Amino acid sequence: MGEQMSSDEGVLRRVVELVTRAEGIVEGIEAAAADGRWAMTAFSRYRLCELLEIMPYGRPEADLDADPVVLLDEAVGLVDQIDVAIEDLSWRLALGDALRAAAADIRVVRDAGEV
């Protein structure tokens, strides 16, 4: 049982790391964009940070070459692996939903800018 908890904690730490990187990247892009369209991703990103108890609006991540959608998609796969007690199942489901929503919002805004 202790080994499973340690494994789940490691997976959760990786999810937090991925989300923190994605958030920093999007913040950097948002700060540099002149048209403000990235603000449309703020709600889903904030919800995600709240669920993970991450401080949103930190310093922008230096690794702007990474794709935040890829990072969030990786985190979705990891969240589905976390074994939680039945009373925490709604949190895990909400986290998966928040990750998918944030990735979708970022994808829509990013793709609209490429047109």
Side-chain angles (χ1 to χ4, degrees), residues 59-75:
R59 66 174 179 74
E61 183 70 32
D63 180 15
L64 294 179
D65 291 334
D67 184 344
V69 173
V70 170
L71 297 174
L72 295 177
D73 285 344
E74 181 180 341

Side-chain angles (χ1 to χ4, degrees), residues 8 16 24 38-39 43 52 54-55 60 77 99-100:
D8 288 339
V16 168
W38 285 93
F43 177 77
L52 289 172
I54 297 172
M55 179 62 80
L99 283 162
R100 288 176 186 90

Side-chain angles (χ1 to χ4, degrees), residues 28-89:
I29 295 169
E30 183 178 12
D35 59 7
R37 72 179 188 264
W38 285 93
M40 294 188 298
T41 67
F43 177 77
S44 60
R45 291 172 28 228
Y46 183 80
R47 177 178 168 229
L48 182 55
C49 289
E50 282 289 307
L51 286 166
L52 289 172
E53 298 179 357
I54 297 172
M55 179 62 80
Y57 313 116
R59 66 174 179 74
E61 183 70 32
D63 180 15
L64 294 179
D65 291 334
D67 184 344
V69 173
V70 170
L71 297 174
L72 295 177
D73 285 344
E74 181 180 341
V76 167
L78 293 173
V79 166
D80 291 341
Q81 297 174 18
I82 298 173
D83 188 29
V84 296
I86 192 73
E87 59 269 10
D88 295 327
L89 185 57

Side-chain angles (χ1 to χ4, degrees), residues 9-21 71 74-75 78:
E9 289 172 3
V11 171
L12 186 56
R13 273 194 299 275
R14 178 68 179 150
V15 169
V16 168
E17 175 189 317
L18 291 166
V19 170
T20 301
R21 283 184 62 207
L71 297 174
E74 181 180 341
L78 293 173

